[in-house]
Amino acid sequence: MGLEQFINEAISPWLKEDGPDSDIVMSSRIRLARNFEKSPFPLIANQEHLDGILYFLEKEFNHRSYANYEQLEFVRMADLKPTEKQVLVEKHLISPHLADKSTYGAALISKNEQVSIMINEEDHIRMQLYFPGFQLEKALEEAFQIDDWLEEKIDYAFDEERGYLTSCPTNVGTGLRASVMMHLPALAMTRKLNRMIPAINQLGLVVRGIYGEGSEALGNIFQISNQVTLGRSEQDIIEDLTSVVEKLIEQERHARTLLRQQSELELEDRIFRSYGILEHSRIIESKETAKCLSDVRLGIDLGYIHHISKSILNELMVLTQPAFLQQYARRMLTPHERDVFRASLIRERFTLEQREEL
Amino acid sequence: MECQECKQNPATLHFAQVTNGEKREIHVCHQCAKEKGYVTHDDESYSLHNLLSGLFNFDPEKLHHSTHNKPAGNQMECKKCGMTYQEFAQIGKFGCASCYQTFSGHLNPIFRRVHSGNTTHDGKVPKRVGKDISARRKVKELKWKLQQLIAEEAFEDAAKIRDQIKEMERTLNQREEGED
Ligand SMILES: [Zn+2]
Ligand SMILES: [Zn+2]
């Protein structure tokens, strides 16, 4: 398979579109946790219960469409190979928990990959809806519609006092986790983000890196999400998150301007060095890849680099992850082989850009 | 090191307990640990304790008094899924929707801690299951509006709202009677 075709199939269709403020906000996500009223939660449910849920949801929703979300496909975890599951994890369509721990897990995924409904994860149902750029309100509105559509067939576990009942006390109430994925290179470079995090936490919001492990944020990509789910309406939660994201966008833009004013040559040097590494290296680790991709994307946003498409950051952050590399290679790779393969995939991807230009 | 409770047996369990932000070291023997509710049943896992002192932040002593001092048949256990309160505290997850009712007396402190002081839902209500809930909320809102209108001496509008409330309450009552 050629690289172009591979990328076309690997990158979720919605991710190729540009959304509002997409120079800084890569995507917006709404996740709602729901459970069946009558069945024990997946953690302690027996095979019979979980099979029953799988059978019911497959019967009711497999190959159905709702609005723009066409052809939901029912995928059982038990039917997938480990790499296939890992690819879904790397595309953020399913959680690592569903891939590794949920023997009776499944997912209903729409054709455009904007909607993914995880089944028998920690809760019976966890639906996720993605939008490109900064579109939390729209995402919430549409997630509510999908929720209503599911509810026509499902008796949800709901209590007037506690709201939607979930397996973990941290999700009860709205069951809502709203999050926004942001590229914040200037705030990270100038260490301003670290100083802003405590204030953001005060509002019940969490900031974390989404690529990489622990506290490190590979590619200067951060996820901001709500923690409180009880006692606040979904709209209020989104409003709080929105106001913080707006502030971060403003601060990031400001930090970019300052960087350019105060150390333009150093900034330009950093961007073009990273560009050179991506275009020419023969062996590259994921950490260095992420750093260089972040620099190049910043270079594109600031107008230093003209002939590369913006989507290169989103695309290559996804494609250079281990399972994708192995899928492209069509075999298992050792960590060293991955670094070699990664470098060659990136070089090829940059060549594609130059061809498009001609 | 001897057990700090019985001061006889050697201490075999050591851990830190955080109560109201204050850290205290605990060294007890196996028997006292069980008696004092530091570990549950024969499970020697410390996770109960970690959870209680971390996420759940409540005093295990209270758990001890509220459960162990009652007759055995009274132990808090979810009738639907069989999860006991100790198990819930240990794993930090509910077993089923009914657990929320079963453990309801103990949940507010936990929810307050996790959800910035909140204990009651304010948000979306399912369409079918929550039809009455939405209607009751609407009635509440209208009653508040009615007060406003009366205060503003907008009696004509107030009368309309009052009729609307009456009508809604009538349907709600009918539905409730129908269910019984
Ligand atoms: Zn002792
Ligand atoms: Zn239960």
Side-chain angles (χ1 to χ4, degrees), chain A residues 44, chain B residues 78-83 94-100 102-103:
Chain A
I44 63 157
Chain B
C78 176
K79 285 205 182 72
K80 190 101 175 288
C81 73
M83 186 176 273
F94 294 101
C96 77
S98 302
C99 288
Y100 279 86
T102 314
F103 309 142

Side-chain angles (χ1 to χ4, degrees), chain A residues 41 147-148 151 161 166-167, chain B residues 94-95 100 121 124 127-128:
Chain A
F41 298 149
D147 185 37
D148 292 341
E151 199 222 323
E161 190 190 2
T166 54
S167 170
Chain B
F94 294 101
Y100 279 86
H121 178 55
K124 195 171 193 274
K127 284 221 162 100
R128 284 185 303 112

Side-chain angles (χ1 to χ4, degrees), chain B residues 3 6 29 32:
Chain B
C3 167
C6 61
C29 72
C32 290

